[in-house]
Amino acid sequence: KQEVTQIPAALSVPEGENLVLNCSFTDSAIYNLQWFRQDPGKGLTSLLLIQSSQREQTSGRLNASLDKSSGRSTLYIAASQPGDSATYLCAVECRGSQGGSEKLVFGKGTKLTVNP
Amino acid sequence: NAGVTQTPKFRILKIGQSMTLQCTQDMNHNYMYWYRQDPGMGLKLIYYSVGAGITDKGEVPNGYNVSRSTTEDFPLRLELAAPSQTSVYFCASSYSSKPTYEQYFGPGTRLTVT
């Protein structure tokens, strides 16, 4: 059974600092990995999607890497801003347990606070 | 496009009551999903659908039912509400299950059962 773990559970940094969020998964047979952002009381916004054949994806100040063999992904945020404060969720897409359609398995998230 | 919309945004139910959470997407996506998120936890899949007329159970289906009569709509039904169903419910959709297609999420429905 696929399990996704995110460390740390919470992180507080001063504005302008570069930071790394970690995600690990137990089964390397994944189709892709997604990083989401969730603001309090809101839904999820997809930030980056890395296909299993890719090593990284970049969007603005965000860079996500994927090492499938070791079951790890990192989300790097450069020059953090107070507006980056949110919970960041990692999810892997893998084949369903009964061989059916692929499913997303989520980690519990990292709550990021960027202090001005 | 409105994307994925969910109604209601909030609801309080008494134990044993029933309700339907509505989900609609206007992106012509084939795949739709229902998740629940408990405080401090990740999302868990309740049910999903790969197209109209086809549904299947996810990780935590007990106490819920779904139907998919159209491509656009994927309602989630709670028949006999229990306190354990207090949660935030998210609906999502994607064009395909292929690795390049990401899931898009609705804003969520916050449900309290007392």
Side-chain angles (χ1 to χ4, degrees):
Chain A
K1 178 183 176 184
Q2 179 72 267
E3 292 183 1
V4 178
T5 303
Q6 291 187 246
I7 295 173
L11 181 64
S12 182
V13 301
E15 183 177 1
E17 191 164 296
N18 302 326
L19 59 99
V20 174
L21 306 180
N22 296 293
C23 172
S24 62
F25 46 96
T26 54
D27 187 347
S28 61
I30 65 170
Y31 291 101
N32 63 49
L33 183 145
Q34 277 188 260
W35 282 94
F36 294 89
R37 170 183 172 137
Q38 185 176 28
D39 293 290
K42 304 287 187 182
L44 278 68
T45 301
S46 180
L47 297 172
L48 291 164
L49 181 149
I50 311 175
Q51 298 178 46
S52 61
S53 58
Q54 298 176 321
R55 299 283 291 185
E56 66 177 342
Q57 282 284 344
T58 299
S59 176
R61 294 182 293 109
L62 305 179
N63 176 276
S65 68
L66 174 64
D67 185 341
K68 225 174 65 160
S69 60
S70 67
R72 294 181 182 181
S73 175
T74 61
L75 178 66
Y76 175 82
I77 302 177
S80 59
Q81 303 170 358
D84 294 330
S85 298
T87 296
Y88 290 81
L89 294 162
C90 165
V92 296
E93 187 162 10
C94 48
R95 182 164 293 281
S97 59
Q98 297 178 353
S101 297
E102 291 76 11
K103 299 178 176 56
L104 274 181
V105 178
F106 284 83
K108 295 181 180 180
T110 294
K111 184 176 181 180
L112 173 66
T113 302
V114 181
N115 302 300
Chain B
N1 288 349
V4 181
T5 57
Q6 293 182 238
T7 57
K9 291 185 178 179
F10 304 94
R11 183 71 184 269
I12 298 175
L13 282 182
K14 294 187 184 302
I15 294 172
Q17 286 186 320
S18 301
M19 76 164 294
T20 299
L21 282 66
Q22 302 291 345
C23 174
T24 300
Q25 54 90 11
D26 62 357
M27 297 174 281
N28 200 32
H29 284 172
N30 295 318
Y31 286 67
M32 296 188 74
Y33 312 82
W34 274 106
Y35 296 90
R36 61 176 285 173
Q37 184 180 33
D38 298 322
M41 305 292 286
L43 280 69
K44 293 188 176 181
L45 183 65
I46 305 172
Y47 269 97
Y48 67 98
S49 168
V50 302
I54 306 171
T55 63
D56 206 349
K57 296 177 180 179
E59 184 181 358
V60 289
N62 292 344
Y64 307 94
N65 279 299
V66 294
S67 60
R68 184 94 181 271
S69 57
T70 66
T71 299
E72 295 78 18
D73 301 306
F74 190 40
L76 177 71
R77 177 82 177 164
L78 283 70
E79 290 294 349
L80 292 171
S84 61
Q85 293 177 305
T86 294
S87 189
V88 181
Y89 292 83
F90 291 101
C91 178
S93 71
S94 64
Y95 181 70
S96 168
S97 64
K98 298 300 183 186
T100 54
Y101 293 106
E102 60 193 89
Q103 291 191 16
Y104 293 84
F105 284 76
T109 294
R110 188 175 297 273
L111 175 67
T112 302
V113 182
T114 62

